[in-house]
Amino acid sequence: MDYKLINMKVFGDERGKLISLEGNRNIPFEIKRVYYIYDTMPDFERGKHAHKNLEQIIIAIDGSCQFVLDDGKTREEIWLNRPDVGLYIGKNMWREMRHFSYGCKLMILASEYYDEKEYIRDYGKFIEEINTSF
Ligand code: T46
C-alpha cells in the first residue's frame, strides 16, 4: 500500500500554531498544485478514483473525514482529523472519501498539474491497470 501518515513539525507558542510545508523537504515531491475541499456534507462521498501519475498529500486543516485506500489487493480505512498530519498517497492507489464532518476542510498538495486524462474513475479499469502494469 503506497500511503503513509506524515507528522508535520508544529511551531507553537502562546500566539497559536504554525506549520510550514516545503516541496522536496517535508513534502516528498515538488508541489505543482494546491487545491482545497470544503462544504461537503456528511452524507456525500468523494473520490472513487485512482491516479496513474500523481502523488498527493492531504491535510484535514479543520474537521475530519475518512479515506478508504485500496491498492487492488488490500483495502484500508484511515481517519484524517488533525491539521498537523498529512496523508501521503502514491501512484495507482484507489481512494474514496466519506464521513465528512460539518465544516471539514481538506487542503491537498499535488505533484502534478490537473490532468483529467490520468484519472482512473472506474474500479474495474483500475484493477485491470494494476494487473497489467505489475
Ligand atoms: C483526489 C481527491 C483527494 C479541476 O478542474 N482541477 C483540479 O485540480 C481538481 C482537483 C479538480 N478539478 C475539477 C474536476 C471536477 O470537475 O473539479 C471537479 C471536482 O473534482 P473531483 O470530482 O475529482 O473531486 P474529488 O473530491 O472526488 O477528488 C479530488 C481530486 O480530484 C483527486 O485528485 O485525489 O480530491
Side-chain angles (χ1 to χ4, degrees), residues 20-51:
S20 168
L21 306 173
E22 297 182 296
N24 291 324
R25 291 192 170 170
N26 59 346
I27 300 302
F29 50 76
E30 186 190 339
I31 302 163
K32 287 205 182 149
R33 178 164 53 105
V34 177
Y35 61 95
Y36 41 96
I37 293 172
Y38 61 102
D39 275 359
T40 294
M41 292 294 119
D43 288 348
F44 286 85
E45 298 189 348
R46 307 190 65 114
K48 297 180 188 268
H49 58 252
H51 291 283

Side-chain angles (χ1 to χ4, degrees), residues 27-77:
I27 300 302
F29 50 76
E30 186 190 339
I31 302 163
K32 287 205 182 149
R33 178 164 53 105
V34 177
Y35 61 95
Y36 41 96
I37 293 172
Y38 61 102
D39 275 359
T40 294
M41 292 294 119
D43 288 348
F44 286 85
E45 298 189 348
R46 307 190 65 114
K48 297 180 188 268
H49 58 252
H51 291 283
K52 292 180 204 172
N53 187 32
L54 184 70
E55 295 168 272
Q56 300 196 106
I57 296 261
I58 298 126
I59 302 168
I61 295 296
D62 199 7
S64 61
C65 77
Q66 189 184 56
F67 270 72
V68 177
L69 297 166
D70 182 334
D71 65 359
K73 295 184 184 74
T74 313
R75 239 173 135 78
E76 290 179 19
E77 294 173 354

